[in-house]
Amino acid sequence: MTETTTARPVDASAPGNATTAWLADFEKALTTRDIDAAAGLFVDDCFWRDLVAFTWNIVTVEGPEGVRDMLGQTLDRVQPGGFVIAGELGEAGAETESWIKFETSVGRGIGHLRLRDGKAWTLLTTLDELKGHEEPKRDRRPTGTEHGAVPDRQTWLEQQRREAQELGYVTQPYVVVVGGGQGGVALGARLRQLGVPTIIVDRNPRPGDSWRNRYKSLTLHDPVWYDHLPYIDFPANWPVFSPKDKIADWLEMYSKVMELNYWGSTECKKASFDEKAKEWTVVVERDGVEMTLRPKQLVLATGMSGKPSMPNLEGMDVFTGEQHHSSKHPGPDAYRGKKADLTFASIPYRILHVFQIPVYDAIHERDADFYARLEKAGFMLDFGEDNSGLFMKYLRRGSGYYIDVGASELVANGAIKLESGVDVERLTENAVVLSNGKTLPADLVVYATGYGSMNGWAADLISQEVAAKVGKCWGLGSDTTKDPGPWEGELRNMWKPTQQEALWFHGGNLHQSRHYSLYLALQLKARMEGIPTPVYGLQKVHHTS
Amino acid sequence: MTETTTARPVDASAPGNATTAWLADFEKALTTRDIDAAAGLFVDDCFWRDLVAFTWNIVTVEGPEGVRDMLGQTLDRVQPGGFVIAGELGEAGAETESWIKFETSVGRGIGHLRLRDGKAWTLLTTLDELKGHEEPKRDRRPTGTEHGAVPDRQTWLEQQRREAQELGYVTQPYVVVVGGGQGGVALGARLRQLGVPTIIVDRNPRPGDSWRNRYKSLTLHDPVWYDHLPYIDFPANWPVFSPKDKIADWLEMYSKVMELNYWGSTECKKASFDEKAKEWTVVVERDGVEMTLRPKQLVLATGMSGKPSMPNLEGMDVFTGEQHHSSKHPGPDAYRGKKADLTFASIPYRILHVFQIPVYDAIHERDADFYARLEKAGFMLDFGEDNSGLFMKYLRRGSGYYIDVGASELVANGAIKLESGVDVERLTENAVVLSNGKTLPADLVVYATGYGSMNGWAADLISQEVAAKVGKCWGLGSDTTKDPGPWEGELRNMWKPTQQEALWFHGGNLHQSRHYSLYLALQLKARMEGIPTPVYGLQKVHHTS
């Protein structure tokens, strides 16, 4: 812990010095273990968001009481200090807003601070690396040379082949990741750099297949510069909204050059946790051969939009045409979309919708004619219950929106016909019968009925009991449709400890896969190294699906 | 052409202003076509190195007379202007040293200037992009979206597949690149970005095989951060001297994600230029099927160390053991190595050895004992004829050195035995007979006899006549062993027009492949677009091999 910021007298009126002064006061309070003084440095409606640095969890506490509670349970162990402004992380937005750096007993962290009236309004603290387990990059990278006459030296290729032959057979991985989309791959890359033996299993043959198998006109929904994976940026010449097959090829090459143990054509059949041995038994079928893996940690990275929610309709068994879930459909559908920035990490979920509503109000106003035509055609338009739009829907329920690239016009002009405000009563051999009595002849039925909670994967792979113990994944407890309260503060069960020891959920879009894979990887690495990881604020379960 | 630098009065005593003043004077002289005034701005022993910007060639002229000659033949067409200091390219080394920017009638350039006594000592000018043909990157990248209801729209994948099916069959490439190592691949990526239809052919199945097939302990000889390919940097976690198979995997993924038309398992059998049609006929055998390509431009990127030079020894036909060139040998050998920096582009080859000699003097002194032991063991040690070391040997002859990673110690301690100062007289069925009468029994003979000039490829593929017309490739004319004079100023025939219209040579290490591929790609693009490209100072041929 450094004391540079506490020693100097500070002129709080100079630019940037309000932050410096606050950090000095904060550090002094923490160093002297004066929790009341520390809590007194926050405004009444404050938020402190911690990603693993203080809590070994992903938690937002609210108000001085929340701060007091968190510090009371973590301060002695965390021993935070060395708080300074981190200008190198990006320019501060204003006098009262700064990127910061700090240290804990076991790691180094970065964060963000917003002041109001000289007190903290929002504080973000994140763990960036573990001391003594820093990633071997830049000035820490290996030389790649082994000088001298070493008769039985192994080349990189020989070592790589040996690992591929032995891991899972002769030796056991510390982590098994089920699912090799952007989530599994980004996490796998982090774990490789941290020296955590990992196998990623995916039922599809090649990395990227989870993109290749989606509908043909799919492109990125976020600009490509927001979607980088760790370690290798997308090139500057890539299309803003890059096409799915290009992303798929990138994921495939990424898995190769990041040296992941990626087991394609491998289905995870069954997993169970041995509470005594503190070990998973994971049965997989690799290229048709069943075998057992025994990792200490199991990560389900099967996708927050990976588990199709299928309706149960009368006649589904007699319909002779084709019927499939939208995720299997090669035509237009969208399963995620948002526009945000890394800085969003510093904005508490509790108030995020307040920033979103004016954006969607403006959109609504600008395209008012278009929306009127859509509604006239029967389109059941909504902007979310509080008009906070698509991004909040993504976080709250992961459904209820789509991104128009032309189909809306076809709806508005009648080329695509709607039957809205009705239910499907049943299917016949060659038609869909609606609750208003209409019969629609059909060759193909596509169920755009959304996705189930990720703990459904745990039910399939582990047991219904574990799925219920872990509870619903994703969503914030916003008390809106498909996201019942109470308020959780963070996405349920994502990238953090769950009620099932050694079971983790990883998912989300490319940005989330990059960003949160760091915190999940650090949690796994710490456990492998035997660093104590007492969890503050382990999430309670209010909903099982 | 902008006039911002000519309008303002300049205080030459302020930091950086000597450069600004010089640039203003230079621009004024060029704008008024006052060649004498321009030449008068250079010191007597000056060097002006131009990469394509003024000359459509790679040329270094020397002295005010050289400047006068170059400007006399190019100035009216080039119409240079807008000379300014380019601080964004990197900090100037000193008051008298600066990165610069400028424009020409057809493009934008960057460069470097060193002043001495207020006059130019070294000037580097390079073409960076063609106006109206800028690469679609960063703010120019495509959106990747095509909004609206487009019934027969093609996806990226469909377009890619269609191109792969049609190019070379239905449509003809503008460029064929023979050889898909780092050179061919880097050039192919540039040409793809510039919209120049290109096919790369390589006899090996997969990109990277030219690395995979080398000896097993091979790693990069330069630090990995010096070796980036265009558009995608090696990640920060890669070993400083990355292993060959890792580089190979990178080249393979790079070819894929940069969307190159890479024809593996394709041998170039024969090529000839139709002087009337201004078109090449290139016969290739792709996966066993012979076919003909008709590009306008042919690039030989078969490697400056790609054409093994085999000795012709009596008894080679009777020796029953194994014998092969070092390039085919899986054991220790090295075929290139140097340490330099992009800034080297601004140091004239004529005086480069002056910068190198002190470095090797220091190495020689530090490891004096080691070198003495090596010489005692019979090792024929040398540091180049002028003691300028390995890097100058690389540029002058591309041979005569190796990089020790342990074998030298085995030579010094006698574990590897030498017979030096003798010739091979002949081979017998199971031995090598030396000129000193000794007979060495042998199961394997490796010929570490270097590589031939790249125009040997032209002899094989095109004709002996064209190879002789083009002349020797590589080397500077330093008048040292294997690099006979006269002085050429630049590497012979590399990345620039040759005496054979529409025939180009591309090669060198990863750094050169990245750096010079830009200038070669711009030359090819300009020709495809019909931009006039009169060549100043086309190289004369003094040696045919």
Side-chain angles (χ1 to χ4, degrees):
Chain A
M1 187 183 338
T2 77
E3 303 206 359
T4 49
T5 56
T6 58
R8 284 174 289 141
V10 168
D11 169 16
S13 67
N17 280 0
T19 303
T20 307
W22 189 92
L23 291 174
D25 290 345
F26 189 52
E27 174 144 349
K28 189 177 170 198
L30 298 181
T31 306
T32 58
R33 305 292 184 265
D34 187 343
I35 291 176
D36 285 336
L41 290 168
F42 289 77
V43 298
D44 283 349
D45 57 340
C46 72
F47 302 90
W48 182 353
R49 184 173 197 219
D50 181 64
L51 305 180
V52 183
F54 279 68
T55 60
W56 288 112
N57 198 355
I58 295 180
V59 168
T60 298
V61 295
E62 303 187 4
E65 269 318 302
V67 172
R68 195 175 283 116
D69 187 69
M70 189 212 283
L71 286 177
Q73 294 189 46
T74 61
L75 187 53
D76 284 341
R77 174 184 53 74
V78 175
Q79 299 167 38
F83 286 88
V84 288
I85 292 176
E88 71 271 28
L89 295 179
E91 284 183 27
E95 150 73 0
T96 56
E97 198 174 323
S98 263
W99 293 98
I100 60 171
K101 287 192 296 192
F102 61 96
E103 296 196 7
T104 72
S105 55
V106 300
R108 293 177 199 90
I110 58 180
H112 187 274
L113 174 68
R114 282 188 191 85
L115 296 180
R116 209 170 63 198
D117 306 327
K119 292 189 173 188
W121 170 41
T122 69
L123 175 63
L124 170 72
T125 49
T126 77
L127 184 64
D128 195 50
E129 62 184 3
L130 291 164
K131 292 176 183 171
H133 304 286
E134 296 83 1
E135 291 189 15
K137 63 186 177 188
R138 297 203 180 83
D139 52 347
R140 284 203 180 87
R141 66 168 109 208
T143 63
T145 53
E146 190 187 2
H147 285 175
V150 185
D152 56 353
R153 85 171 91 198
Q154 277 207 323
T155 66
W156 171 87
L157 184 64
E158 287 164 340
Q159 288 166 26
Q160 211 194 28
R161 284 184 179 157
R162 183 175 171 168
E163 179 181 318
Q165 276 168 13
E166 294 186 352
L167 192 66
Y169 298 89
V170 180
T171 59
Q172 285 301 319
Y174 184 76
V175 178
V176 164
V177 180
V178 181
Q182 64 266 19
V185 158
L187 179 64
R190 301 263 195 206
L191 291 172
R192 158 68 72 184
Q193 291 312 304
L194 288 169
V196 178
T198 301
I199 292 174
I200 302 165
V201 302
D202 197 288
R203 73 178 68 181
N204 292 314
R206 294 153 59 202
D209 282 346
S210 57
W211 285 78
R212 290 188 188 94
N213 295 339
R214 296 280 176 163
Y215 62 97
K216 67 184 261 192
S217 67
L218 174 65
T219 67
L220 289 181
H221 292 170
D222 308 302
V224 67
W225 51 80
Y226 175 76
D227 293 332
H228 298 308
L229 292 170
Y231 309 109
I232 314 179
D233 284 358
F234 291 110
N237 60 321
W238 275 43
V240 180
F241 302 103
S242 292
K244 72 178 177 96
D245 294 285
K246 195 167 167 67
I247 298 293
D249 288 349
W250 185 262
L251 288 170
E252 188 172 3
M253 83 76 195
Y254 184 88
S255 302
K256 176 81 177 172
V257 301
M258 295 309 293
E259 304 178 29
L260 308 189
N261 292 295
Y262 191 102
W263 289 14
S265 302
T266 302
E267 191 167 2
C268 184
K269 314 274 285 187
K270 196 77 200 153
S272 60
F273 188 65
D274 183 331
E275 295 283 351
K276 273 193 193 149
K278 301 292 181 194
E279 187 176 272
W280 288 94
T281 300
V282 182
V283 179
V284 303
E285 190 178 304
R286 187 184 194 192
D287 292 325
V289 179
E290 198 166 286
M291 58 178 290
T292 301
L293 297 171
R294 299 189 184 281
K296 300 292 183 190
Q297 310 285 342
L298 181 64
V299 179
L300 300 186
T302 33
M304 60 86 57
S305 303
K307 195 156 178 59
S309 181
M310 283 287 274
N312 189 3
L313 298 174
E314 185 190 331
M316 280 175 81
D317 52 340
V318 301
F319 181 70
T320 58
E322 202 179 343
Q323 48 183 330
H324 50 228
H325 188 266
S326 59
S327 61
K328 303 285 187 297
H329 188 59
D333 179 58
Y335 65 101
R336 59 183 191 92
K338 62 181 182 52
K339 173 153 182 152
D341 194 285
L342 189 65
T343 316
F344 271 155
S346 71
I347 301 177
Y349 285 128
R350 178 75 100 174
I351 55 173
L352 188 51
H353 63 286
V354 176
F355 292 79
Q356 299 285 307
I357 289 169
V359 176
Y360 290 93
D361 282 351
I363 291 171
H364 202 163
E365 195 181 321
R366 201 185 59 185
D367 293 334
D369 292 348
F370 182 61
Y371 290 128
R373 289 176 61 224
L374 268 179
E375 291 198 293
K376 200 176 162 194
F379 195 89
M380 294 173 72
L381 192 68
D382 83 291
F383 283 73
E385 284 171 39
D386 54 0
N387 290 311
S388 59
L390 174 160
F391 183 51
M392 292 312 301
K393 279 194 177 183
Y394 171 69
L395 292 172
R396 289 167 174 173
R397 55 182 284 193
S399 64
Y401 54 86
Y402 84 106
I403 296 175
D404 174 43
V405 294
S408 291
E409 177 56 36
L410 298 181
V411 170
N413 70 23
I416 295 174
K417 292 183 177 37
L418 295 185
E419 288 288 343
S420 49
V422 294
D423 283 331
V424 172
E425 200 172 272
R426 65 176 197 281
L427 272 62
T428 67
E429 208 173 303
N430 51 19
V432 177
V433 181
L434 302 177
S435 56
N436 61 4
K438 273 197 191 172
T439 294
L440 307 176
D443 297 317
L444 166 66
V445 175
V446 178
Y447 299 101
T449 39
Y451 297 87
S453 165
M454 262 179 282
N455 67 332
W457 291 109
D460 290 354
L461 294 178
I462 307 166
S463 68
Q464 193 59 55
E465 187 196 343
V466 166
K469 184 164 93 174
V470 166
K472 183 176 171 68
C473 297
W474 206 261
L476 297 164
S478 62
D479 204 19
T480 58
T481 305
K482 297 198 178 181
D483 183 29
W487 180 251
E488 305 271 4
E490 293 290 336
L491 288 175
R492 298 180 188 93
N493 280 318
M494 297 308 298
W495 316 295
K496 61 180 183 176
T498 68
Q499 292 285 351
Q500 171 59 55
E501 186 183 352
L503 179 65
W504 310 79
F505 293 89
H506 182 50
N509 59 25
L510 282 151
H511 163 252
Q512 289 167 312
S513 294
R514 175 185 76 242
H515 188 62
Y516 290 101
S517 59
L518 171 62
Y519 309 112
L520 179 47
L522 289 172
Q523 291 174 80
L524 294 166
K525 173 67 173 177
R527 281 162 176 81
M528 188 180 92
E529 298 296 339
I531 296 168
T533 56
V535 175
Y536 168 80
L538 183 66
Q539 183 190 303
K540 291 186 181 66
V541 173
H542 303 286
H543 308 283
T544 56
S545 67
Chain B
M1 189 182 336
T2 78
E3 305 207 358
T4 48
T5 57
T6 57
R8 283 173 289 141
V10 168
D11 170 15
S13 68
N17 279 0
T19 304
T20 307
W22 188 91
L23 290 175
D25 290 344
F26 189 53
E27 173 143 350
K28 188 177 172 198
L30 298 181
T31 306
T32 57
R33 305 291 184 265
D34 187 343
I35 291 175
D36 285 336
L41 290 167
F42 289 78
V43 296
D44 282 350
D45 57 340
C46 71
F47 301 91
W48 182 353
R49 183 172 197 220
D50 182 64
L51 305 180
V52 183
F54 279 68
T55 59
W56 289 112
N57 199 355
I58 295 181
V59 168
T60 298
V61 296
E62 302 186 5
E65 267 318 303
V67 171
R68 194 174 283 116
D69 188 69
M70 190 213 282
L71 286 176
Q73 293 190 44
T74 61
L75 187 54
D76 284 341
R77 174 183 54 74
V78 176
Q79 300 166 37
F83 286 88
V84 287
I85 292 176
E88 71 271 28
L89 296 179
E91 284 184 27
E95 149 76 359
T96 56
E97 198 173 324
S98 264
W99 292 99
I100 62 172
K101 288 192 295 190
F102 62 95
E103 296 195 9
T104 71
S105 55
V106 300
R108 293 176 200 88
I110 57 179
H112 187 275
L113 173 67
R114 282 189 191 84
L115 295 181
R116 209 169 64 197
D117 305 327
K119 292 189 172 188
W121 170 40
T122 69
L123 175 62
L124 170 72
T125 49
T126 77
L127 184 64
D128 195 50
E129 61 184 5
L130 291 164
K131 291 176 183 172
H133 304 286
E134 296 83 0
E135 291 189 15
K137 63 186 177 188
R138 299 203 179 82
D139 53 344
R140 285 202 180 89
R141 65 169 110 207
T143 64
T145 52
E146 189 187 4
H147 285 174
V150 185
D152 56 354
R153 86 171 92 199
Q154 277 207 323
T155 66
W156 172 87
L157 184 64
E158 287 164 341
Q159 288 167 25
Q160 212 195 26
R161 284 185 178 156
R162 183 174 172 169
E163 179 181 319
Q165 276 168 12
E166 294 186 353
L167 191 66
Y169 298 89
V170 180
T171 59
Q172 284 302 319
Y174 183 75
V175 178
V176 164
V177 180
V178 181
Q182 65 265 18
V185 158
L187 179 63
R190 301 264 194 204
L191 291 171
R192 158 68 73 182
Q193 292 310 306
L194 288 169
V196 178
T198 300
I199 292 174
I200 301 165
V201 302
D202 197 287
R203 71 177 71 181
N204 292 313
R206 295 154 58 203
D209 282 346
S210 57
W211 284 78
R212 291 188 187 94
N213 295 339
R214 295 280 176 163
Y215 62 98
K216 66 184 261 190
S217 66
L218 175 65
T219 69
L220 289 181
H221 291 170
D222 308 303
V224 68
W225 52 79
Y226 174 76
D227 293 333
H228 299 308
L229 292 169
Y231 310 109
I232 314 179
D233 283 359
F234 292 110
N237 61 321
W238 275 42
V240 180
F241 302 102
S242 292
K244 72 178 176 97
D245 293 286
K246 196 167 167 67
I247 299 293
D249 286 350
W250 185 263
L251 288 170
E252 187 171 2
M253 83 78 196
Y254 184 89
S255 303
K256 177 79 176 173
V257 301
M258 296 308 294
E259 303 178 28
L260 308 189
N261 292 296
Y262 191 102
W263 288 14
S265 301
T266 302
E267 190 167 2
C268 184
K269 315 273 284 187
K270 197 77 202 153
S272 59
F273 189 65
D274 183 332
E275 295 284 350
K276 273 193 192 147
K278 301 290 179 195
E279 187 176 270
W280 287 94
T281 299
V282 182
V283 180
V284 303
E285 190 177 305
R286 187 184 193 192
D287 293 325
V289 179
E290 197 166 286
M291 58 178 291
T292 300
L293 298 171
R294 300 190 184 281
K296 300 292 182 190
Q297 309 285 342
L298 180 64
V299 179
L300 300 187
T302 32
M304 59 89 52
S305 303
K307 195 154 178 59
S309 180
M310 284 286 274
N312 190 3
L313 298 174
E314 184 190 332
M316 282 175 81
D317 52 341
V318 300
F319 181 69
T320 58
E322 202 178 342
Q323 50 183 329
H324 49 228
H325 188 264
S326 59
S327 61
K328 302 285 189 297
H329 187 60
D333 180 59
Y335 67 101
R336 60 184 191 92
K338 62 178 184 58
K339 172 151 183 151
D341 195 286
L342 187 66
T343 316
F344 271 155
S346 72
I347 301 178
Y349 286 128
R350 177 75 99 173
I351 54 172
L352 188 51
H353 63 287
V354 176
F355 292 78
Q356 299 284 308
I357 290 169
V359 176
Y360 290 92
D361 282 351
I363 292 171
H364 202 163
E365 195 181 320
R366 202 184 60 185
D367 293 334
D369 291 348
F370 182 60
Y371 290 129
R373 289 176 60 224
L374 267 178
E375 291 197 294
K376 200 175 161 195
F379 194 90
M380 295 173 72
L381 192 68
D382 82 292
F383 283 72
E385 283 171 41
D386 54 0
N387 291 310
S388 60
L390 176 158
F391 183 50
M392 292 311 302
K393 278 194 176 182
Y394 171 69
L395 292 172
R396 288 168 174 173
R397 53 182 285 194
S399 64
Y401 54 86
Y402 83 107
I403 296 175
D404 174 41
V405 294
S408 290
E409 176 57 36
L410 298 180
V411 170
N413 70 24
I416 294 174
K417 292 184 177 36
L418 295 184
E419 289 286 345
S420 50
V422 295
D423 283 331
V424 172
E425 200 172 274
R426 68 177 194 281
L427 272 62
T428 67
E429 208 173 299
N430 52 18
V432 177
V433 180
L434 302 177
S435 56
N436 61 3
K438 273 196 193 173
T439 295
L440 306 176
D443 297 318
L444 166 65
V445 175
V446 177
Y447 301 100
T449 38
Y451 297 87
S453 165
M454 262 179 284
N455 67 332
W457 292 109
D460 290 355
L461 295 178
I462 307 165
S463 69
Q464 193 60 55
E465 185 196 344
V466 166
K469 183 164 93 173
V470 166
K472 183 176 172 64
C473 296
W474 206 261
L476 298 164
S478 62
D479 205 17
T480 58
T481 305
K482 298 199 178 182
D483 183 28
W487 180 251
E488 305 271 4
E490 294 290 336
L491 287 175
R492 298 181 187 94
N493 279 318
M494 297 307 299
W495 316 296
K496 62 180 185 177
T498 68
Q499 292 285 351
Q500 171 60 55
E501 185 181 353
L503 178 65
W504 310 79
F505 293 89
H506 182 50
N509 60 24
L510 282 151
H511 164 253
Q512 289 167 313
S513 295
R514 176 186 75 243
H515 188 62
Y516 289 101
S517 58
L518 171 62
Y519 309 112
L520 178 47
L522 289 172
Q523 291 173 80
L524 294 166
K525 173 69 172 176
R527 281 162 176 81
M528 188 180 92
E529 297 297 339
I531 297 169
T533 55
V535 175
Y536 168 80
L538 183 67
Q539 183 191 303
K540 290 184 180 67
V541 174
H542 303 287
H543 309 282
T544 56
S545 68

